[in-house]
Amino acid sequence: MKKNILLTGANGFIGNNIYYFADKKKYNIISLIRKKNKKIQNYCISDLSNKIILNKKIKIDTIIHCAASDNETSFLRYYYNNILATKNLI
């Protein structure tokens, strides 16, 4: 049976490499991304600083959280894009 992986940050460097590795291993990957990417299949466009809504019929076996932002100009933006995003994901 295929494992379902929820991957955040699939457009970033680390997340993108994990996406392609897991895709080669035939895992079922559901990616949470901010912007559409034609190379990524089975995605949901979402901003993790907001409430996340997924189809409850999909059973997630593993979460790989790679979404983050390190070039924020203010603490408040850093908080929303990193700390609050991780809290919402959990």
Side-chain angles (χ1 to χ4, degrees):
M1 185 164 93
K2 284 175 127 178
K3 296 282 184 179
N4 291 325
I5 298 174
L6 177 66
L7 174 64
T8 67
N11 280 335
F13 179 77
I14 294 171
N16 195 262
N17 281 284
I18 291 171
Y19 174 85
Y20 286 112
F21 175 80
D23 190 47
K24 283 182 186 178
K25 297 290 183 179
K26 304 295 183 197
Y27 289 104
N28 185 31
I29 308 158
I30 300 104
S31 300
L32 288 179
I33 55 178
R34 284 189 197 178
K35 297 177 186 172
K36 187 175 179 180
N37 182 335
K38 293 179 183 178
K39 296 178 183 178
I40 295 176
Q41 305 297 315
N42 199 15
Y43 63 88
C44 176
I45 295 179
S46 178
D47 183 349
L48 293 176
S49 63
N50 297 319
K51 186 176 179 180
I52 302 163
I53 300 171
L54 293 175
N55 185 342
K56 293 186 183 224
K57 293 180 181 179
I58 299 172
K59 181 185 174 236
I60 302 296
D61 298 303
T62 304
I63 297 173
I64 302 174
H65 181 40
C66 298
S69 182
D70 64 353
N71 59 353
E72 297 301 332
T73 55
S74 72
F75 176 76
L76 191 57
R77 286 184 52 92
Y78 177 86
Y79 172 79
Y80 280 116
N81 288 328
N82 294 294
I83 299 166
L84 187 60
T86 302
K87 180 181 172 194
N88 287 342
L89 183 61
I90 292 169

